[in-house]
Amino acid sequence: MPAAVVSVRDVGRSFDVSAPLVQRLVTRAPRRSVRAVDGVSFEIEEGTTFAIVGESGCGKSTLTRLVAGLDTPSEGEVTLLGRLGRGPRLQMVFQDPVGSLNPRWRIGRSIAEPMPERLSGAARQARVAELLQTVGLAADDAAKFPHEFSGGQRQRIAIARALAAEADLLLLDEPTSALDVSVQAQVLNLLKDLQDRLGLTYLFISHNLAVVRFMADRLAIMYLGRIVEEGPAGRLFDAPAHPYTRKLLETVPDVDNPRRARETEGFEVPSPLDLPGGCTFHPRCPLAGDRCRNERPVLRDRPNGTRVACHAVTD
């Protein structure tokens, strides 16, 4: 069995969104908090892509920050497992390739910055040239500044910088959403090719299900801070069980049937400050019953290797 590179166990994160103290004293308002991530658990196996999908505000970016160590869980544990006895390493590839690169640095310096200290000056330059060629750029590009490149080329530079750190895990937070469609395909093909050649492990965050279908080995669907369905990506796309997963898949364009009938929805996503009781999806769910309104479902294993949190599916 492949080894796990990252293990997330019952992780939660709350944020204090209370009004300022003086205002609360005047209005006698209580303190308020928002639950961005709530009881999330999963593992990512070495050499695979684990994708997290959900609507804006579902908590996927917060979860990425928790895995990266940029934020601390309110409860639960994130464990990164290094290879060959060394400490774990990870790097992020951000959504905006322009903002993620220092405009005053030549890209050779940006790529060399996260390299291990054991590399000397000459070795660093050789490694920068090798990485640029790995992502489809020229070695001479190391002397250029970010503004001299297109958006897709800048994202290739960001990927080269991530590879420079010899990371166990790459966190890809909407890495192609700021790019044109044709450039998206180039970057996604590059990521797949690098994974096949170098055995890379990805945590892939996106709201684009077409991209996720191309990239992911396993897929988790998040809704208001919780994973509602998780399992092999192919099985979730072919036979989604949770009503929310089905609604998401209805948004994916179908080339074979572009005029297919789609169910309209009259509900809005509840506010994270005032979540409904029981299953948080029940105000939008066509299968909701009394139990859904009163009892929170937990993720349960299914015979096909997936997990789903839905009373209507698992009962």
Side-chain angles (χ1 to χ4, degrees), residues 163-201:
L163 296 177
E166 300 178 3
D168 299 291
L169 177 68
L170 296 188
L171 307 181
L172 309 172
D173 189 1
E174 301 277 10
T176 61
S177 62
L179 306 176
D180 293 337
V181 174
S182 60
V183 180
Q184 284 186 25
Q186 295 173 11
V187 173
L188 292 173
N189 284 324
L190 171 64
L191 289 170
K192 289 285 285 185
D193 178 63
L194 291 174
Q195 185 175 52
D196 293 339
R197 286 196 284 136
L198 305 177
L200 300 176
T201 305

Side-chain angles (χ1 to χ4, degrees), residues 3 110 145 160 162 248-249 264:
S110 293
F145 289 94
L248 285 181
L249 291 180
T264 59

Side-chain angles (χ1 to χ4, degrees), residues 6 70 88 109 112 135 140 150 192 228 272 277 305:
V6 59
L70 300 176
R109 181 181 177 185
V135 299
D140 293 342
S150 67
K192 289 285 285 185
V228 297

Side-chain angles (χ1 to χ4, degrees), residues 19-311:
L21 176 61
V22 174
Q23 183 178 341
R24 295 205 314 272
L25 291 175
V26 172
T27 61
R28 298 183 180 180
R31 297 185 71 92
R32 304 188 72 184
S33 65
V34 61
R35 190 76 166 162
V37 177
D38 190 1
V40 170
S41 298
F42 61 85
E43 288 187 347
I44 306 177
E45 294 181 350
E46 183 179 346
T48 66
T49 298
F50 187 93
I52 301 176
V53 172
E55 296 167 308
S56 297
C58 72
K60 56 186 185 294
S61 291
T62 300
L63 182 57
T64 305
R65 292 178 59 85
L66 294 173
V67 174
L70 300 176
D71 206 348
T72 304
S74 302
E75 63 271 336
E77 183 179 42
V78 176
T79 304
L80 300 178
L81 308 171
R83 300 180 191 173
L84 303 177
R86 64 170 168 81
R89 296 173 182 164
L90 60 85
Q91 285 289 307
M92 292 192 70
V93 177
F94 296 94
Q95 176 178 351
D96 181 8
V98 178
S100 65
L101 296 172
N102 189 329
R104 295 189 174 122
W105 285 10
R106 299 181 192 273
I107 65 164
R109 181 181 177 185
S110 293
I111 293 173
E113 183 187 22
M115 286 183 180
E117 295 181 358
R118 68 176 185 273
L119 293 179
S120 64
R124 282 173 177 264
Q125 292 180 7
R127 179 63 174 155
V128 168
E130 179 186 356
L131 288 169
L132 284 171
Q133 292 170 340
T134 298
V135 299
L137 298 175
D140 293 342
D141 289 335
K144 298 179 181 178
F145 289 94
H147 71 269
E148 300 180 67
F149 297 90
S150 67
Q153 289 173 324
R154 292 192 193 107
Q155 199 63 297
R156 289 172 180 266
I157 294 165
I159 294 168
R161 182 180 58 186
L163 296 177
E166 300 178 3
D168 299 291
L169 177 68
L170 296 188
L171 307 181
L172 309 172
D173 189 1
E174 301 277 10
T176 61
S177 62
L179 306 176
D180 293 337
V181 174
S182 60
V183 180
Q184 284 186 25
Q186 295 173 11
V187 173
L188 292 173
N189 284 324
L190 171 64
L191 289 170
K192 289 285 285 185
D193 178 63
L194 291 174
Q195 185 175 52
D196 293 339
R197 286 196 284 136
L198 305 177
L200 300 176
T201 305
Y202 298 149
L203 173 58
F204 195 94
I205 307 300
S206 182
H207 65 274
N208 188 327
L209 284 164
V211 169
V212 169
R213 185 163 199 165
F214 176 72
M215 288 294 300
D217 297 296
R218 293 189 70 88
L219 172 62
I221 306 295
M222 284 192 73
Y223 183 74
L224 292 177
R226 302 170 182 170
I227 291 180
V228 297
E229 190 166 6
E230 188 269 333
R235 294 177 192 171
L236 263 64
F237 277 101
D238 293 340
H242 198 282
Y244 178 61
T245 307
R246 296 176 193 169
K247 286 184 178 295
L248 285 181
L249 291 180
E250 287 178 359
T251 67
V252 179
D254 187 342
V255 177
D256 297 325
N257 187 17
R259 299 180 181 274
R260 73 187 190 277
R262 301 185 186 184
E263 182 181 350
T264 59
E265 184 179 21
F267 295 100
E268 295 185 359
V269 180
S271 168
L273 292 171
D274 187 23
L275 294 176
C279 175
T280 53
F281 188 64
H282 84 255
R284 304 171 62 186
C285 182
L287 306 179
D290 289 339
R291 186 181 179 190
C292 303
R293 287 182 277 272
N294 296 298
E295 181 183 339
R296 171 182 168 178
V298 298
L299 276 175
R300 299 186 184 278
D301 294 333
R302 304 184 69 221
N304 65 352
T306 66
R307 298 185 299 159
V308 65
C310 178
H311 296 308

